[in-house]
C-alpha cells in the first residue's frame, strides 16, 4: 500500500490503482468523463488533470492525467493547484464549444454528468464566438434516442458497446472535429445491452426513449429498490414512478450481481405495469361467461364460498411470485394441497439446481463469473435466457488479456494498452448449443449439436477428464483442468433435466482435479429457485392428478404452462394475476394482484441469493399485493414481514430471508427512508385538478420506506436506498460516494447470507438419454430476449421487437421436409417463415418461444408443412435475431 | 450633556419631518374605485407566454416546478411529432402560490412570467387551480423576440439542425476532406 501526498496530505493508496481511483476513494472530487470504473482509463478527455511533482523541491510540477497515473510510494500531487484548476476549467470550456443550448429539452438534464462536472470546475461563460458543429441524428430503435449535437467525444459509448458488450453496429465515424458516434446507417441497435449507453454516456447523446414518452426529471421520481423479474438472475434495479405509473427502470449497483449494467429486457420491460392488459378490478364470471367487475369484498366472499363448497381444493403457486405470496397460498390451502406451479420437467430441472446450490461445488455470483478463465456453456442460450450473465461471460474471456498484461507489467485499468497487447487472445470458451449463439464471436469452440448429442458430448467430456487419450473431448476437458478457475455453465432453456445433470457430473469430475471449479446453472424464472425450495417434491401435474375441482392460482399462467388435459378436473378457478392471460380468461373469480412495482417480495435467483424487492407506489383502486389478498381470504391481512418470519420458522434453509433487508420497524434517526427526493416538486398541485385539498400521503405499513420526501436517504443501507445521489453528483456516477473503493462493494451492503450450507458432496447423476429426445423429431423452443418473458412482452417497445414466427433448420432437414429458405411453413394453423441455416444441428427444428407460437407446444417436426407461394412479411425477422439468421 | 442635546435635536427633526408629510400627496388610493399604479415587473398572476412564432414557449423542463418553494406547479412533458417538447398539462395551484417569482427566474425560455394582475379572489378555493388553458396568453409578455428553440440545437418543425443561432450547417459524416 503506497503512501502518496496530495496537497500536503498523506493518503494511503490502493496497490495497483490509478491516481483518479485513489482520489475518488478518498472522497476528493476530481472531474472526469472517459474513465469508467468498469471500463478503465484511456486518457481521452483530459478532464481529470492534476499536478504531479518530481520531488519535494519541485514547486512547479507538471500537469498529468490522474486516470493514467499509477501511484507509487511518496509520489506528490496537487488537485487544488491553480494551474490544475484552470486547466480543468479550460477542458470543460473546450468540450462545451459545440454543446447545444438545450438542457431544458434534454432527458439527461438534472442527472447529467456533464452538468455536474461543469459546475464542479466552475466554467460559466462561453468565450468562443465561432459556429457550433451540428450533426444529424439517427434512428436507433424503440429504446434509445440519439442527439449527436450534445456529444463531447469521450468515446465511452463505443468503448462500452464494442469493447465491453461485444456489439459491432455502433462506432465512431468521420475525422477531425467531425467525429460521429452512431451506426453506419439508421436502424435498431442490435446489442442486447445497448440500453446501458443511456447510463454510460456522460451527457444526453443516448437517452431513454421509453422514459422520454412520459418524461419526469430525476428529482421528481418516486423510486424504490426493486429486483428485476425478467429472468432468473435477479439484477438489482431502481424502478421509478410519477403520477401513478412506472416511468423508468435504472440500474441499481450491486457489486456481486449486476454491477453497473443491465440487459435491455430488464431496463425496458417494466412497461407491463402500465399496460392496458392489467386487471384493474376484481371480476366474477356471470352465467353468460362474461366478467362482472365487482368490488374486492364481494369477490373475496365469492372466493370463500367457492372454497367452502369445494370438493378438493388446491393452490397452485408460481415461480414468478414472491416467497411471501407463495407462503400466503400455502397457509390458505395447507401444505398438502399446494404445489409451486411448475411442471414435472421444471421441478426435475430445478431440483438439480437446488442440489448443486446445496453441494460443496462452488457456485459463483454473477459478477464473480468475470474472474473465471475457462468456461464451457452446455446447451444454454445465455444471451436470450439469462441475458446479463452473457455480459459477464464476455468479460471473463479477457482473463487471458489480464495474464498477458500482468506478465508485461501493465496495470489492468490501462484499458487501451491491455486490449492492444491482447489483440485477439482470449480465454477458452466452449459452446455446446443446437444453434448459432450470440456468444459465438468470443467463443474458442462453438459446437453445434442436437440436445441429445449435447448430453452425450458432455458425458464424453466428463469421461475425458480422467482419460488422457487424445480426442476432441479431451481437448475441451484439458482447457478446463488446466485453467486456474474453470466454470461450467448450463441452464433450463432447452427444458432438459439431463443436460443439467450431465453438466453437474462434468463439474463434479473437473472439481476433483481443480478445486477452483465453479458451476453456474440458470434457472427459468425470477423465483424458480425459491419456489423449488418451497416444494419441488410435487409438481403441478402430480397435484392435478388428484383430480381437485377447485384451484386457486397465484400469478401463474397454468393454461399455457400445463397440457390442457391436466386441467380437466377443475370446475372452479380462482386466479390472482396482475395481467390478463389465458388463465385469467378461464377463471370464475379474478383478483387484481399487484405487479412487482406494487408488491413487496423476496426472490431467490439462480445463484441462490435471496433479494428483497420493495414497493414503488401504492396501486390504484382494488389492486393489492397477492399475499395481502390471500391472507385476507385466510382471515386477516398479514404483513410481508410476518409471512417471512413464519416461512423462515418452517424452513430452516430460508432463515436468512428475514435479515437481507431491514424490516418495517427500521428507522434512521427516528424516520423512515424517503422514496421521493428532497427536491420532489408539485406536491400541492399534482392532484389539484381533482381536489384543491391536498391528499394525505399514503402510509406504508409494510416496509421501512415512506411515500414522502421526508426521511433519511443518504445513510440508508443499500437494500433500502431509493436513488443514488450525493451533493454535486446528480448523475449515476454518484455511486462511488457509496463505495469504500471505486467499483467495490457498497459500503452498507449486507454480506451475502448463503441459503445453503454448501457442504454436501454430490454424487454424479445417472443419465438416461433415450427417454428424453426422439432423434428424428427434435423440436426446440428458442428463447428470445424480447418475446419469451410474458410480462415484459406487455411493454409496448419490447413487443415491437418480438420476432415473427419462424422455423429454423439446416438444409438437410429442410429438404427432407420439403421446406425452402424464406418460404412459408404451417403448423397447427400458425404460418411462419422458414429459415434454412446450416448452423442448426442436424435433425433439429427450432421455433421461437413467443406468444404467437404457444399453440405449438409438443409438435413433431413432421407437423410442419410447406405453404405454396408464401410471401414473407418485410420485417419477418427482427433485430434480436439478425446475427443468428443464417441468411445474413 | 451633549448626549441629551443631541437627543432633543433628533426628536425635533423627527417631529418636523412628520409634520412635513402632512403636506405631501397621499400614497393610499381608494382601491377598488381607484386603481393603483403597478410596475410592469410587479409580481402577480402567473401567465404562460408564446414565442414570436405564436408557439407555446414552455418546453416542460420542470425547472419552475422544482424552484417553487410551495410546490404549487405541476406539469407533464409531452412531445409533438417533430420532437418539440411542450407541456401536456400545466397546473398552478394559486391558492398556494406566494408570488415569489422564483419560477420566472428559473424559466430558461421566458415562458412563465408574473404579471401585475393580483386580483384573483375566489369564494371557492378550487377555482384558484389554473390549468394550461387558463395560464396561456397569446402574446410574448415582457420579453418580446425570444424563441428558445431558435437558440437551442434541437430540430423542430420548420427549424432544422444547423439553423439555430451560432450553428454551422450539419456536417457530412462521410466527408474525407482534411
Amino acid at each position: 500500500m503506497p503512501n502518496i501526498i496530495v496537497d500536503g496530505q498523506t493518503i494511503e493508496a490502493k496497490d495497483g490503482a490509478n491516481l483518479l481511483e485513489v482520489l475518488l476513494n478518498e472522497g476528493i472530487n476530481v472531474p472526469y468523463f472517459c474513465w469508467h470504473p468498469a471500463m478503465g482509463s484511456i486518457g481521452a478527455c483530459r478532464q481529470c488533470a492534476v499536478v504531479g511533482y518530481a520531488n519535494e523541491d519541485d514547486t512547479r510540477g507538471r500537469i498529468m492525467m490522474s486516470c493514467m497515473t499509477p501511484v507509487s510510494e511518496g509520489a506528490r500531487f496537487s488537485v487544488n493547484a491553480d494551474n490544475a484548476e484552470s486547466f480543468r476549467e479550460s477542458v470543460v470550456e473546450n468540450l462545451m464549444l459545440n454543446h447545444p443550448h438545450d438542457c431544458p429539452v434534454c432527458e439527461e438534464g438534472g442527472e447529467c454528468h456533464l452538468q455536474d462536472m461543469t459546475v464542479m470546475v466552475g466554467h460559466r461563460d462561453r468565450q468562443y464566438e465561432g459556429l457550433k458543429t451540428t450533426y444529424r441524428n439517427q434512428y436507433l430503435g424503440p429504446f434509445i434516442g440519439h442527439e449527436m449535437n450534445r456529444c463531447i467525444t469521450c468515446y465511452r459509448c463505443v468503448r462500452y458497446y464494442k469493447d465491453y458488450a461485444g456489439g459491432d453496429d455502433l462506432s465512431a465515424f468521420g475525422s477531425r472535429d467531425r467525429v460521429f458516434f452512431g451506426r453506419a446507417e439508421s436502424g435498431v441497435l442490435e446489442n442486447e445491452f445497448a440500453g446501458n449507453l443511456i447510463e454510460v454516456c456522460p451527457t444526453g447523446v443516448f437517452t431513454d426513449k421509453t422514459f422520454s414518452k412520459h418524461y419526469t426529471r430525476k428529482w421528481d421520481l418516486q423510486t424504490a429498490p426493486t429486483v428485476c423479474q425478467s429472468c432468473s438472475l435477479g439484477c438489482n434495479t431502481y424502478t421509478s414512478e410519477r403520477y401513478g405509473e412506472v416511468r423508468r427502470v435504472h440500474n441499481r449497483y450491486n457489486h456481486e450481481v449486476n454491477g453497473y449494467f443491465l440487459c435491455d429486457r430488464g431496463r425496458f420491460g417494466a412497461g407491463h405495469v402500465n399496460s392496458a392488459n392489467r386487471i384493474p378490478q376484481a371480476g366474477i364470471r356471470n352465467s353468460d361467461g362474461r366478467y362482472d367487475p365487482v368490488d374486492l369484498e364481494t369477490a373475496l366472499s365469492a372466493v370463500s364460498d367457492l372454497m367452502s363448497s369445494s370438493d378438493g381444493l388446491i393452490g397452485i403457486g408460481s415461480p414468478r411470485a414472491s416467497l411471501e405470496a407463495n407462503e400466503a397460498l400455502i397457509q390458505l390451502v395447507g401444505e398438502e394441497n399446494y404445489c409451486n406451479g411448475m411442471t414435472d420437467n421444471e421441478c426435475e430441472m430445478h431440483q438439480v439446481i437446488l442440489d448443486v446450490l446445496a453441494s460443496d461445488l462452488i457456485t459463483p455470483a454473477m459478477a464473480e463469473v468475470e474472474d473465471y478463465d475457462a468456461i464451457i456453456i452446455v446447451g444454454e442460450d445465455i444471451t436470450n435466457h439469462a441475458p446479463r450473465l452473457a455480459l459477464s461471460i464476455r468479460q471473463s474471456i479477457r482473463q487471458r488479456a489480464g495474464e498477458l498484461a500482468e506478465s508485461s507489467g501493465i496495470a489492468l485499468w490501462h484499458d487501451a494498452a491491455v486490449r492492444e497487447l491482447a489483440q485477439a487472445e482470449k480465454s477458452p470458451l466452449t459452446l455446446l448449443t443446437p444453434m448459432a449463439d450470440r456468444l459465438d464471436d468470443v467463443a474458442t469452440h462453438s459446437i453445434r449439436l442436437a440436445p441429445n448429442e449435447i448430453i452425450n458430448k458432455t458425458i464424453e467430456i466428463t469421461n475425458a477428464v480422467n482419460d488422457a487419450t487424445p480426442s476432441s473431448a479431451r481437448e475441451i476437458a484439458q482447457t478446463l483442468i488446466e485453467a486456474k478457475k474453470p466454470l461450467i455453465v448450463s441452464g433450463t432453456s432447452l427444458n432438459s433435466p439431463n443436460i443439467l445433470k450431465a453438466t453437474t457430473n462434468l463439474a463434479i469430475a473437473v472439481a476433483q482435479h481443480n478445486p477452483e471449479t465453479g458451476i453456474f446453472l440458470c434457472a427459468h424464472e425470477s423465483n424458480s429457485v425459491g419456489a423449488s425450495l418451497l416444494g419441488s417434491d410435487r409438481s403441478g401435474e402430480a397435484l392435478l392428478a388428484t383430480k381437485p375441482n377447485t384451484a386457486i392460482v397465484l400469478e401463474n399462467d397454468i393454461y399455457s404452462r400445463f397440457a390442457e388435459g391436466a386441467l380437466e378436473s377443475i370446475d372452479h378457478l380462482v386466479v390472482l394475476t396482475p395481467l390478463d392471460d389465458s388463465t385469467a380468461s378461464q377463471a370464475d373469480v379474478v383478483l387484481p394482484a399487484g405487479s412487482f412495482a406494487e408488491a413487496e417480495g423476496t426472490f431467490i435467483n439462480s445463484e441462490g441469493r435471496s433479494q428483497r424487492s420493495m414497493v414503488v407506489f401504492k396501486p390504484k383502486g382494488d389492486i393489492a399485493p397477492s399475499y395481502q389478498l390471500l391472507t385476507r381470504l385466510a382471515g386477516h391481512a398479514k404483513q410481508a414481514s410476518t409471512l417471512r418470519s413464519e416461512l423462515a420458522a418452517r424452513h430452516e434453509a430460508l432463515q436468512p430471508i428475514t435479515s437481507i433487508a431491514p424490516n418495517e420497524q427500521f428507522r434512521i434517526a427516528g424516520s423512515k427512508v424517503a422514496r421521493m427526493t428532497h427536491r420532489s416538486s408539485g406536491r400541492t398541485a399534482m392532484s389539484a385538478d381533482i381536489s384543491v385539498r391536498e391528499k394525505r400521503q399514503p402510509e406504508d405499513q409494510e416496509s421501512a420506506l415512506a411515500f414522502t420526501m421526508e426521511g433519511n436517504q443518504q445513510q440508508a443501507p443499500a437494500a433500502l436506498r431509493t436513488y443514488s445521489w450525493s451533493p454535486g453528483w446528480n448523475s449515476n456516477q454518484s455511486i462511488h460516494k457509496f463505495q469504500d473503493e471505486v467499483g467495490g462493494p457498497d459500503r452498507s451492503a449486507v454480506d451475502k447470507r448463503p441459503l445453503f450450507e454448501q457442504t454436501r458432496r454430490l454424487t454424479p447423476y445417472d443419465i438416461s438419454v433415450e427417454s428424453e429426445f426422439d432423434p428424428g423429431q427434435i423440436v426446440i423452443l428458442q428463447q428470445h430476449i424480447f418475446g419469451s418473458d410474458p410480462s415484459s412482452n406487455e411493454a409496448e417497445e419490447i413487443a415491437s421487437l418480438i420476432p415473427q414466427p419462424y422455423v429454423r433448420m439446416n438444409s438437410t432437414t429442410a429438404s427432407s421436409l420439403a421446406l425452402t429458405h424464406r418460404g412459408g411453413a404451417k403448423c397447427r394453423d400458425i404460418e411462419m417463415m422458414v429459415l434454412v441455416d446450416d448452423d442448426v444441428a442436424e435433425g433439429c427444428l427450432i421455433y421461437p418461444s413467443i406468444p404467437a407460437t404457444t399453440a405449438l407446444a409438443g409438435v413433431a417436426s413432421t407437423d410442419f408443412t410447406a405453404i405454396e407461394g408464401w410471401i414473407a412479411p418485410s420485417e419477418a425477422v427482427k433485430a434480436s435475431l439478425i446475427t443468428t439468421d443464417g441468411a445474413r | 450633556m451633549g448626549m441629551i442635546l443631541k437627543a432633543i435635536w433628533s426628536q425635533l427633526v423627527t417631529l418636523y419631518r412628520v409634520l412635513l408629510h402632512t403636506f405631501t400627496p397621499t400614497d393610499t388610493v381608494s382601491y377598488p374605485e381607484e386603481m393603483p399604479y403597478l410596475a410592469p415587473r410587479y409580481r402577480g398572476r402567473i401567465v404562460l407566454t408564446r414565442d414570436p412564432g405564436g408557439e407555446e414557449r414552455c418546453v416542460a423542463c420542470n425547472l419552475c416546478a422544482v424552484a417553487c418553494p410551495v410546490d404549487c406547479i405541476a406539469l407533464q412533458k409531452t412531445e409533438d411529432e417533430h420532437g418539440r417538447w411542450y407541456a401536456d398539462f400545466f397546473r398552478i395551484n394559486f391558492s398556494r402560490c406566494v408570488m415569489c417569482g422564483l419560477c420566472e427566474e428559473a424559466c430558461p425560455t421566458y415562458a412563465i412570467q408574473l404579471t401585475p394582475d393580483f386580483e384573483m379572489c375566489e369564494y371557492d378555493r378550487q377555482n384558484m387551480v389554473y390549468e394550461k388553458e387558463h395560464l396561456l396568453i397569446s402574446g410574448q409578455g415582457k420579453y418580446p423576440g425570444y424563441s428558445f428553440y431558435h437558440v437551442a440545437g434541437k430540430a423542430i418543425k420548420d427549424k432544422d439542425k444547423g439553423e439555430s443561432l451560432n450553428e454551422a450547417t450539419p456536417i457530412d459524416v462521410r466527408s474525407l476532406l482534411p
Side-chain angles (χ1 to χ4, degrees), chain A residues 353-416:
Chain A
I353 297 178
L354 281 188
D355 287 348
V356 167
L357 289 172
S359 75
D360 58 353
L361 291 170
I362 298 172
T363 49
M366 183 154 56
E368 286 163 8
V369 167
E370 296 181 10
D371 304 333
Y372 283 83
D373 62 345
I375 295 185
I376 177 167
I377 299 174
V378 183
E380 174 70 331
D381 184 356
I382 303 279
T383 314
N384 282 306
H385 191 228
R388 177 60 184 80
L389 181 62
L391 198 55
S392 294
I393 289 176
R394 278 185 185 277
Q395 309 319 308
S396 77
I397 65 132
R398 295 196 66 223
Q399 285 299 316
R400 176 82 189 115
E403 281 168 27
L404 288 170
E406 211 182 326
S407 61
S408 313
I410 299 175
L412 278 179
W413 48 260
H414 246 304
D415 193 55

Side-chain angles (χ1 to χ4, degrees), chain A residues 467-478:
Chain A
D467 174 9
T469 333
S471 67
S472 63
R474 174 66 191 171
E475 227 173 88
I476 296 168
Q478 219 158 359

Side-chain angles (χ1 to χ4, degrees), chain A residues 553-612:
Chain A
V553 179
L554 167 68
E555 301 175 27
N556 192 345
D557 191 0
I558 53 170
Y559 279 82
S560 36
R561 197 184 289 262
F562 297 106
E564 199 79 17
L567 302 159
E568 262 171 0
S569 72
I570 295 172
D571 296 328
H572 303 295
L573 192 63
V574 178
V575 174
L576 291 91
T577 176
L579 285 164
D580 195 0
D581 55 22
S582 57
T583 305
S585 48
Q586 299 282 340
D588 294 286
V589 183
V590 179
L591 298 176
S595 68
F596 82 99
E598 298 145 337
E600 186 175 327
T602 307
F603 297 85
I604 304 181
N605 73 359
S606 288
E607 38 174 290
R609 177 190 302 272
S610 50
Q611 300 186 110
R612 189 84 46 82

Side-chain angles (χ1 to χ4, degrees), chain A residues 831-853:
Chain A
E831 290 189 1
M832 58 199 102
M833 182 152 92
V834 177
L835 296 171
V836 177
D837 172 1
D838 281 333
D839 240 353
V840 175
E842 181 67 42
C844 295
L845 248 79
I846 295 167
Y847 74 88
S849 166
I850 52 173
T853 60

